[in-house]
Every structure is written in C-alpha cells, then in structure tokens.
Amino acid sequence: MDKFIIQGGRRLRGEVAVSGAKNATLPIMAACLLADGDCRLLGAPDVTDVRHLSVLLEELGVEVRREEEGLCLRVINRENSHARYDLVRKMRASVCVLGPLLAARGCARVAMPGGCAIGPRPIDIHLRGLEALGAEIDLKSGDIIVKAKRLKGAEIFLGGPFGSTVTGTANIMMAATLAEGRTVIECAACEPEIVDLANFLNAMGARITGAGAPRMTIEGVDNLQGITHRVIPDRIEAGTFMIAAAITNGEVKISGARLDHMMAVVDKLRQIGVIIEADDGGAIVSSRRGITPSDVTTQPYPGFPTDLQAQLMALLCLAGGNSIVTEKIYPDRFMHISEMARMGANIRKEGPTALVLGAGRLVGAPVMAGDLRASAALVLAGLAAEGTTTISRVYHIDRGYERIEEKLAALGADIKRISEKE
Ligand code: EPZ
C-alpha cells in the first residue's frame, strides 16, 4: 500500500487543470448499458472508482477501452446481468447498473452495496422508485433481484430523510428512458452530475426535461444510440484545489473549474477570507490575510457539498477562532477528526455537528487515510502543517483524484508517494 510524505509550509503557486468529474462519469458509464453502438466519454478520469466500474461492466458484457481522450464503451453481449458482491463492495456506485440493466434486459441481480466509512449507504429509495416503474423486487443472499417485462412510466417521489438521492435519481432516470409512457420524478437530485447524465441520455435519444430541478419528466422511447460526450469538470476536485491554495497562502489558477457548479463553495470560501477571481474558464485563488471562522452546513445541491466538508474543516483549523460544521447528508462523516487531532487540531463532535476550535496551526504527524474525502483533507492539512506528515493507505485518495501528488508537486508542494511494504 502506498503512502504520501509531505513537508508542510510550502506556498502553492502556478496552474492546475481540473479532471473530468468522477461522479458524472460513473452513472454515465452505467448508462452505456442502454446504448446500441459505441459510447465515447471524453475526459473520463483515470481513477480507481472508474477502473472498478470498468471491470464490473466488462463482466456485464460491455467492452471498455481506455483511449487517449477518455473511455470507449460498447455492449457486446447481454448474457450476464449479475453484478457480484466482491465487485460491488469495492465501489458502492456500482448500484447504478441496476436501472439500466432492468430497462435494457428486463432483469438484474446486483449485490447490496453495504455501508462504508462515511455511514450506512441504504438504497431503499432506489428500490421504491424501480418498484413504482413496475419492477418485481426480491432480496436473496445479499443480492437485489429485479425483474420487469416492460417498465411503465409513473409518478415517483425520491425524497428521503436526508433529501434526495443522487445515484437513486440516476438509477430511476436511466430506467425510465426505455419505460412505456411518461415518468415524473418529484424531489429529484439537482446535482450538476445529474444534469450531465441527462444531457448524455438525451444525446443518445432519450426525452428528459427538467434535469437540475426537483421535478424531472422522462418520456419513454424504444431505443438509445451510442454517442460521444465530454463529461463535466470535477467540482469536488476543483474545490479541493481551491482549499489547497488557501491553506498554503498560495496563489493558484484552477483551469477548467465551472464556478457555476460551485456557487455555495465559492460563497463560503469568500466569506472566510479566500480570494477567488473568475478567470477565463477557471478561477485564480489566493488568500492573503487570515482565515475567518465560520459555520457551514452541508446540504443537497445547490447547498454546500458534503464531499468538501472534510477539506473545509482542515482550512477552518487555521482560523483565528471557533467554527461550526454541521453534516446533514451523512451525520457520521467525521472520520477525519481523530486523524486531524493527531496534527494538533482541536475539534469536538456533538452528533451531526463539529465544533472546530481554531488552533491557528497544525503540526505534521503520521496519519491514516480512512475514506476518499477525509484523506484529501489530511493531504491539505499536511501541506499547511509545520514539519513532516506521513499519510498511509492513500489508495483511498486514488479512488477519486487523478495523480493528486503530481498535481500538487507541480504547484510547488513537497509531496512524495512511496510504496509501503505490504
Ligand atoms: C453520491 O452518493 C456521491 N457519489 C457521493 O460522493 C456524495 O457524497 C453523495 O451523492 C451526496 O452528495 C456518487 O455520485 C458516485 P445519496 P450517493 O444517495 O448517491 C441517504 C464521493 O466522495 N439515502 O445522494 O450514494 C444516504 O444514506 C462520494 O465522491 C437513503 O436514505 O448518495 C445519504 O444520507 C461519497 N436511501 C443521503 O440519502 C437511499 O436509497 C444522500 O445519499 C439513498 C440514499
């Protein structure tokens, strides 16, 4: 297993390009199960989650090739519709194959994804939506088995105790594209990744309106054709690099960032003293004065994204005063607190809220990555800490960031990847 060694205290300067969005690429890859012909996904990032889904799709009869510009996917046989547990458990978003398999083949068997470090990851809303479209659902030795001769359009509510569901909305959208008649989804997720998926499906011949708003309508069609599509830039990677610039008091141009996808993030960072200037097709980020304490609550899009909560917390550790961070999407998503405490952070968790007592400084230490975004937060803390930080189990980071250490080193960070003996 690899680890990172970071010497803190270097100000980041220069320009970094944002990769394609992992969370747009994954459902769009699943949507290729619906297509006749080749689908080309330009800008699909080469991260572990994408590689894991590629392995699963190959088992489901899809040929997946990595090309210069991205991925090329083509359905070559429809024999196997069973997504096995040992593949699904490695990457929860594999559950996105459920809707397209059901719509394209009339059946699917997909292992229940189980939980992960950020909390239980139920799929009850996904299943309620598929049932509303006429699917028969069974649970057998940990697998979900769904069947339907032809799905029928329906009015479906996708709200749950934490708002809508992103991959649940993706699943129902994809299933509804080939259903008979009209489907209306109420309380659909509004994330830019959902809009990107809808644009991809419409380019294939689907008839989806209202994507990006809580009410979405899908008119069923008979078939969908393979197309070429460029996935949107990764707003979470862009936000991570904005915070990297701010936490090191640097000045970084983040090219390819879609600020219109990041208004809550830009608003919060500006509030706490980060300078963010729009610059042709991206943003220039710096912070010349101290970080002001703040309070932030994670919410469904367009609210502040839960996937940047840990990274912002790392920055708030340097604020001159106390901040409050409330996690409304995954109330247990605070794995990073104990590791940051090893670096001198003083954070107290009270249920879904964390009180960040601005220590004003962080000190390097050996720490362990626990989940994708918590690990990114530890990298950010290491960049700002005095001395050396060693982060083990960086495979967590490789799930969602393309060669993050190379991108940071190109900005002047002193960060090295070394392979740990097993
Ligand atoms: C997507 O996960 C993202 N993953 C997550 O990013 C992101 O944190 C999350 O949306 C929220 O924005 C991908 O897009 C691949 P949800 P998803 O279904 O779809 C509850 C990352 O770091 N819920 O929107 O799995 C659920 O427990 C990852 O890139 C139900 O109760 O999240 C959670 O509390 C981590 N029942 C809330 O809803 C359901 O059937 C939001 O979950 C489904 C979800």
Side-chain angles (χ1 to χ4, degrees):
M1 284 190 273
D2 292 359
K3 62 181 172 185
F4 286 157
I5 297 186
I6 303 171
Q7 301 301 336
R10 311 279 286 264
R11 290 186 166 186
L12 300 190
R13 289 196 188 298
E15 182 170 350
V16 63
V18 178
S19 298
K22 162 179 90 83
N23 290 348
T25 301
L26 295 172
I28 288 174
M29 287 172 72
C32 297
L33 286 160
L34 297 163
D36 297 329
D38 282 358
C39 291
R40 277 192 166 72
L41 309 186
L42 306 181
D46 187 10
V47 295
T48 316
D49 273 6
V50 169
R51 291 183 186 194
H52 280 151
L53 187 56
S54 302
V55 170
L56 170 57
L57 289 172
E58 291 268 1
E59 279 204 6
L60 299 173
V62 181
E63 185 188 66
V64 185
R65 278 197 326 273
R66 171 62 64 178
E67 297 180 336
E68 173 79 18
E69 275 272 286
L71 287 177
C72 181
L73 297 96
R74 180 188 187 87
V75 178
I76 49 175
N77 82 57
R78 292 177 168 75
E79 302 304 309
N80 176 40
S81 298
H82 179 189
R84 293 184 295 112
Y85 177 53
D86 65 341
L87 291 178
V88 174
R89 69 183 173 78
K90 283 182 194 147
M91 217 279 294
R92 282 195 63 272
S94 309
V95 74
C96 277
V97 302
L98 203 48
L101 280 176
L102 183 61
R105 305 183 187 178
C107 65
R109 177 171 182 150
V110 177
M112 286 282 276
C116 71
I118 64 178
R121 306 292 295 273
I123 58 167
D124 55 314
I125 307 173
H126 298 233
L127 299 180
R128 274 212 308 274
L130 293 176
E131 212 161 22
L133 290 171
E136 284 164 45
I137 295 177
D138 221 356
L139 178 60
K140 197 168 166 202
S141 33
D143 290 350
I144 297 287
I145 298 170
V146 291
K147 288 195 188 78
K149 279 198 186 47
R150 173 117 201 238
L151 296 170
K152 278 195 177 10
E155 302 231 334
I156 302 172
F157 179 73
L158 285 185
F162 303 96
S164 187
T165 158
V166 177
T167 48
T169 301
N171 251 330
I172 303 311
M173 269 168 79
M174 291 187 280
T177 54
L178 297 181
E180 199 176 317
R182 168 176 297 182
T183 296
V184 175
I185 300 177
E186 191 55 79
C187 196
C190 302
E191 274 68 5
E193 293 76 23
I194 290 295
V195 176
D196 204 29
L197 174 62
N199 292 338
F200 177 74
L201 290 165
N202 282 340
M204 289 165 77
R207 292 171 56 202
I208 300 169
T209 50
R215 172 181 278 251
M216 191 193 297
T217 302
I218 302 112
E219 302 290 351
V221 296
D222 293 333
N223 53 55
L224 297 170
Q225 302 307 314
I227 52 127
T228 295
H229 175 83
R230 179 169 292 280
V231 299
I232 55 172
D234 194 316
R235 61 193 168 100
I236 305 302
E237 184 194 28
T240 303
F241 277 102
M242 285 183 175
I243 295 172
I247 207 168
T248 59
N249 266 321
E251 179 161 330
V252 176
K253 175 166 182 191
I254 298 169
S255 52
R258 284 276 303 264
L259 297 189
D260 59 321
H261 290 168
M262 306 175 69
M263 292 181 73
V265 177
V266 171
D267 176 63
K268 181 54 69 183
L269 290 177
R270 281 176 172 156
Q271 257 180 49
I272 67 175
V274 180
I275 301 153
I276 301 174
E277 287 145 344
D279 184 80
D280 65 314
I284 295 177
V285 181
S286 59
S287 72
R288 290 191 195 85
R289 56 188 176 78
I291 295 298
T292 312
S294 178
D295 73 71
V296 62
T297 299
T298 65
Q299 286 159 330
Y301 191 86
F304 191 90
T306 173
D307 291 351
L308 279 170
Q309 177 257 105
Q311 298 92 315
L312 181 70
M313 190 183 280
L315 181 59
L316 291 172
C317 287
L318 299 182
N322 301 341
S323 298
I324 297 177
V325 178
T326 302
E327 175 55 67
K328 289 269 193 187
I329 309 295
Y330 298 107
D332 301 329
R333 192 176 198 169
F334 289 120
M335 288 277 288
H336 37 290
I337 290 180
S338 46
E339 294 305 301
M340 285 181 186
R342 291 178 48 75
M343 300 175 73
N346 189 348
I347 306 168
R348 203 172 66 228
K349 180 177 174 305
E350 297 286 339
T353 295
L355 178 63
V356 184
L357 309 178
R361 66 192 279 264
L362 291 166
V363 182
V367 290
M368 192 182 296
D371 76 83
L372 168 54
R373 306 302 176 183
S375 319
L378 293 175
V379 172
L380 299 177
L383 295 175
E386 295 154 20
T388 307
T389 298
T390 308
I391 304 176
S392 55
R393 302 188 178 180
V394 294
Y395 60 83
H396 287 289
I397 301 176
D398 294 332
R399 286 190 43 210
Y401 292 91
E402 253 186 333
R403 305 181 317 284
I404 193 170
E405 78 279 10
E406 291 175 19
K407 291 188 173 185
L408 289 169
L411 294 170
D414 182 346
I415 177 170
K416 291 183 186 60
R417 177 190 292 259
I418 59 169
S419 288
E420 261 183 332
K421 297 284 162 286
E422 287 299 333

